[in-house]
Amino acid sequence: MAKCFSFTESRDWCYRFSFKNSGLKSSTVDLGDGTIMHCWVPKTHKTNKRTVCLIHGIGANAMWQWGDFISPLMSKFNVYVPDLLFFGESYTTRPERSEAFQARCVMGLIEANGVERLTVVGISYGGFVAYSMAAQFSEKVERVVLICAGVSMEEKDMEQGLFKVNSVDEASEILFPQRPEKMKQLLTLTFYKPPKNIPSCFMNDFIHVMCAEYLQERKELIQALHKGKILSELPKINQPTLLIWGEHDQVFPLELAHRLKRHLGENADLKIIKNAGHAVNVEKPKEMYKYMKAFLIDQLPTSKEDNHSNGRKAD
């Protein structure tokens, strides 16, 4: 029997074509101990460009979340786009589920490609990983962009009603939907203006392609993200940091953005995007890129002031 047409797989193919056409190639690194990391890396690493690593959040793979931003960034940076563990083609047989372990794996991948210094950009869950990279590898991470990333949340926040869900299990059921009804809840939670009238067959197709694998492991990632979190134990990163947030974010409410800004002090700048929810990369990609460009490109030092080796080890 012939396989039915999959809109999700077709769109995934289009993203792959777009990434390759932009100058990226698919690459896999074996970090040992049962850990495999997949990443989109430059076909040719340009020594006259800085390096930026784009880290995706929960949901579809990295291509879907960063597709609109690759072409404009490629003109200025060597762009690396990893799949986090249990997303896309990355996985591990190790038991660790913390964002700190994810951060070490991403850095291991980056170092395997000969990159010594970089800027990290993380959206949602990817922001937790980016923050951890900045904290663990302060000598390697130069600048940080966190987009709708509730790094400052505490375990007690859920009990005190800050979130729309009442438990980690409830959050997992929505974030990793297994039925169209849960997919609709996810869209309502993440969009300021959720798309309407999506046929159930499309949602079932997306669930089958994007949400069926590593379900238990992904739930464990969320549990590790929430358990035991206390703001006073969150390390303060010293790198220049840009915070971008949707005004109506219901996943990580705006209060968490202001809390993180207070925690980091003058070292961080907060930009709030109006009429946007958690999925700012989908709802307001132009505004999101405008703030990213101002921070990552327009504020770069001139070549005379810039005395580093553009992030790549000398051959």
Side-chain angles (χ1 to χ4, degrees), residues 153-162 226 229 259:
M153 73 174 185
E154 298 185 283
E155 186 172 13
K156 66 181 181 181
D157 287 331
M158 189 166 290
E159 299 172 2
Q160 296 178 351
L162 180 63
H226 172 259
K229 287 294 189 294
R259 186 189 294 177

